[in-house]
Amino acid sequence: MVKRKRQEVKDSPQISAVAARRQLQGDSSQPLETAEDGSPPPETVSEGAEASENVPAKQQSTKWKRKDQMVPETSVTQPDSGFTLEPLPGEVDQMSIESSDQSVTILILFDLNLQEIRSRSASPETSTLQLSKFSPKKSSVISDGEDEVVLRLRTDETVLILGQFDLTVHKGVVEFMGAILPAGERSYRTFVPSTHSVPPLRFVEAASPKENYAEVEIKAYKSGIRQLKRVSPKFGRIWNAKREEKPRSFDILFQSTDDPHRRPFTLLELPTPWKTTMTQLSKTRNGPKPRTLISGPKSSGKSTFCRHLINHMLTRDDVKASPKPPKQGVVLLDLDPGQPEFSPPGQLSLVHVWSPIFGPPFTHPALAHANRSRVVRGHTIAATSPRDDPFHYQACAADLLRHYTKHLASAPLVINCAGWVLGMGLDILHDLIRELTPTSVVFMADAGLAEVVESLRTVTAKASIPLHLLPSQPSVNRSRTSADLRAMQTQSYFHLTESGDRHLRWDPTPIMTMKPWRASYAGDDRAIHGVMVLGDRLAPEQLPTILDASLAALVLVEDSPQLSTLTPQISSTPPSLPYLTTSSTSNQPLDPAHSRTLGLVYIRHINGAKKILEIITPIPHGKLTRLAR
């Protein structure tokens, strides 16, 4: 066990989580460094193997692993005292969660394994490519100010916009990322980075026979996400280049040479079979709402199709009507822990979506109140793939489906499955089809997957479920790998900050210099009642080493009977940490029928003298209080 000496917060140098963790672990092979200007070095998440990228996998062997490979997992709170987080002196007011008599909270820990990455640059374009089908003439560009642009699109015209902007349709109808947007006062917050194919803004219908155009306003805004390049180079050079004459948060790309960085952009064009299938699946039906299960191998376009389908379902009604989403919205059952849509990696969730999704997952790793969408229920599996514990994965999926059936069955359901479709992954997919009883199954068919397709034909035919086979559409010229995007999603999550306008905002302050909360883990009024490490059971004296400087999922145990079975399994380890074990050899996950994940926290420090954990979390105080009731 490595001894580590900590300094008080006020005396700590301005260093990143990468440097701090290496310092705490005594890693002499990676010296602490700061930039010439005194700024902290970049803070990034490991690009390691699939099972340990960003959100570490559960322990899989019986051998003891190094500290940076361990996966700490759980802590429990007492029903009567509630969860209390005390701020450091001189900081914000006290934050607390008041649990009811029927619920307690659980803290599930992940290991935060950080290391530097090498930046890569894309090859410059060798020829000029036309990106937008739009002529920027005086009759088409109505306004071109410092913060906004007003355009008029006509038949067959499209515009590509890179950056962050609010989109408002003043006249006519346009299409964007599968959503049909009629004229109205509503604005849509939009993120278009170069990490993904760039979607076109497309003319659909003119304002009137006399006004043969659709008029749109693109307005700049600042969310802070651009500044995350200060903590990770992965966020660098993914937005529009700032121009001295008009330093807006977006750029219109008429041709490839309009980008000063000469990045190889790819236009997002949906294949015709995709459009046809989306229209069929979005039709309003009488009786039970449709349940559409979407599957396919990794990098096949599955998430893109899912996002476009949800947007199309939300806006499929008469486009001439008032631009309001359907009363029931759309429910997303997100079963892809590697690339979840509205949560950090390692989570499964049930999300009630009311607003179109305009941006990749790292631009909305949580949900703001402004768009009315919300994560209804979620579970952590502490892995980016179901391969470590397929039974727990399926139990979580079944629990989320039960919650949908009980509370949200009036809304259509879209099920996004993991990208593991071979071997045991295919068996899991078959089980999900049988258990979730979808009304349609969509599979992104790749060449070489004939056996997978044939098995799906057999399973769906036996259950009388229509099977839609669609061509895959892998991303080309992608500047970030799947591992990069997972790292970006987790970092984006932890740098979220509360804002007065109820939209998502980001704070580029390094994690180790953020103001922490204090959570007691000892005494009658303790907040944390247990810590569990999934997988092989650890020696009690190793728990502090595993817990310190790790990620944690805060989990709520929802009933007293579940707590009564856990309490006898909690023992005290130095320095009085409550160690929760479920067997003599290994620790099994909590029952998803009686627990749910509230969000992630980062364990910055264990104060053994005062029996408190210093934690950093983007979970809003109000949300914690509301969820725990």
Side-chain angles (χ1 to χ4, degrees), residues 286-480:
N286 296 324
K289 296 298 180 180
R291 300 180 180 185
T292 305
L293 185 145
I294 303 171
S295 181
K298 297 177 182 178
S299 301
S300 62
K302 174 175 60 68
S303 296
T304 299
F305 180 83
C306 185
R307 205 173 295 129
H308 278 70
L309 177 61
I310 291 174
N311 290 347
H312 200 66
M313 286 181 167
L314 286 170
T315 58
R316 69 184 181 273
D317 291 345
D318 186 2
V319 297
K320 295 180 181 179
S322 177
K324 295 181 180 179
K327 286 185 178 181
Q328 72 276 11
V330 176
V331 178
L332 170 64
L333 176 51
D334 198 342
L335 302 181
D336 186 354
Q339 299 284 344
E341 188 68 42
F342 292 108
S343 65
Q347 313 286 311
L348 308 181
S349 58
L350 186 70
V351 187
H352 200 175
V353 184
W354 291 88
S355 297
I357 307 169
F358 291 155
F362 71 82
T363 65
H364 46 252
L367 284 167
H369 298 295
N371 63 10
R372 298 178 62 200
S373 301
R374 65 189 181 101
V375 177
V376 178
R377 189 175 180 84
H379 298 297
T380 182
I381 67 169
T384 58
S385 169
R387 71 176 68 245
D388 292 336
D389 193 341
F391 300 106
H392 179 57
Y393 173 83
Q394 290 178 251
C396 291
D399 175 73
L400 295 176
L401 179 68
R402 283 194 298 269
H403 197 84
Y404 162 79
T405 303
K406 183 176 180 180
H407 301 286
L408 300 169
S410 61
L413 178 67
V414 175
I415 306 167
N416 182 30
C417 296
W420 186 27
V421 297
L422 299 176
M424 187 183 295
L426 182 59
D427 294 337
I428 294 174
L429 179 58
H430 288 174
D431 290 340
L432 289 176
I433 292 174
R434 285 188 285 264
E435 294 172 8
L436 303 182
T437 61
T439 56
S440 298
V441 173
V442 176
F443 186 76
M444 305 297 177
D446 259 352
L449 294 177
E451 293 183 3
V452 175
V453 171
E454 190 58 35
S455 68
L456 288 176
R457 290 186 190 276
T458 302
V459 171
T460 54
K462 188 174 181 179
S464 300
I465 301 173
L467 174 63
H468 302 270
L469 298 176
L470 299 181
S472 63
Q473 191 180 37
S475 298
V476 294
N477 293 329
R478 194 162 167 175
S479 63
R480 300 295 184 272

Side-chain angles (χ1 to χ4, degrees), residues 475-543:
S475 298
V476 294
N477 293 329
R478 194 162 167 175
S479 63
R480 300 295 184 272
T481 66
S482 295
D484 291 336
L485 295 174
R486 275 193 283 273
M488 293 169 71
Q489 196 163 345
T490 300
Q491 289 176 316
S492 173
Y493 177 81
F494 273 95
H495 286 277
L496 286 174
T497 182
E498 294 189 67
S499 63
D501 62 2
R502 303 178 74 186
H503 285 285
L504 292 182
R505 301 276 178 179
W506 286 265
D507 180 2
T509 302
I511 289 177
M512 289 302 292
T513 61
M514 291 180 179
K515 295 179 181 180
W517 295 99
R518 290 180 173 178
S520 171
Y521 61 81
D524 294 337
D525 60 345
R526 61 192 182 275
I528 307 300
H529 276 242
V531 177
M532 174 189 287
V533 180
L534 290 182
D536 297 337
R537 181 170 176 174
L538 301 176
E541 60 271 17
Q542 290 186 312
L543 187 60

Side-chain angles (χ1 to χ4, degrees), residues 164-335:
Q164 310 163 53
F165 53 92
D166 284 330
L167 173 64
T168 306
V169 183
H170 291 319
K171 297 180 180 180
V173 181
V174 297
E175 183 269 333
F176 187 68
M177 294 186 69
I180 307 300
L181 306 177
E185 297 182 359
R186 183 181 181 184
S187 63
Y188 300 89
R189 187 138 291 185
T190 307
F191 298 83
V192 183
S194 64
T195 53
H196 296 67
S197 299
V198 182
L201 179 65
R202 193 184 308 275
F203 170 90
V204 172
E205 185 177 307
S208 67
K210 292 184 179 181
E211 298 177 320
N212 62 338
Y213 56 82
E215 186 175 290
V216 297
E217 178 184 10
I218 301 104
K219 188 172 183 178
Y221 76 95
K222 296 180 180 179
S223 66
I225 194 171
R226 181 188 288 266
Q227 299 306 315
L228 293 186
K229 64 183 179 181
R230 291 162 50 185
V231 296
S232 171
K234 291 183 174 71
F235 289 94
R237 294 169 64 98
I238 65 173
W239 304 105
N240 62 301
K242 288 293 185 71
R243 303 176 186 273
E244 292 183 3
E245 65 276 13
K246 291 178 181 177
R248 296 187 293 224
S249 63
F250 67 90
D251 263 343
I252 297 176
L253 302 176
F254 296 104
Q255 54 189 18
S256 56
T257 54
D258 290 337
D259 177 38
H261 297 321
R262 296 295 191 271
R263 288 166 287 190
F265 294 110
T266 303
L267 179 66
L268 179 58
E269 288 282 9
L270 301 189
T272 300
W274 282 33
K275 297 178 182 179
T276 303
T277 302
M278 280 195 332
T279 302
Q280 293 175 355
L281 297 175
S282 301
K283 289 181 179 179
T284 304
R285 305 178 184 179
N286 296 324
K289 296 298 180 180
R291 300 180 180 185
T292 305
L293 185 145
I294 303 171
S295 181
K298 297 177 182 178
S299 301
S300 62
K302 174 175 60 68
S303 296
T304 299
F305 180 83
C306 185
R307 205 173 295 129
H308 278 70
L309 177 61
I310 291 174
N311 290 347
H312 200 66
M313 286 181 167
L314 286 170
T315 58
R316 69 184 181 273
D317 291 345
D318 186 2
V319 297
K320 295 180 181 179
S322 177
K324 295 181 180 179
K327 286 185 178 181
Q328 72 276 11
V330 176
V331 178
L332 170 64
L333 176 51
D334 198 342
L335 302 181

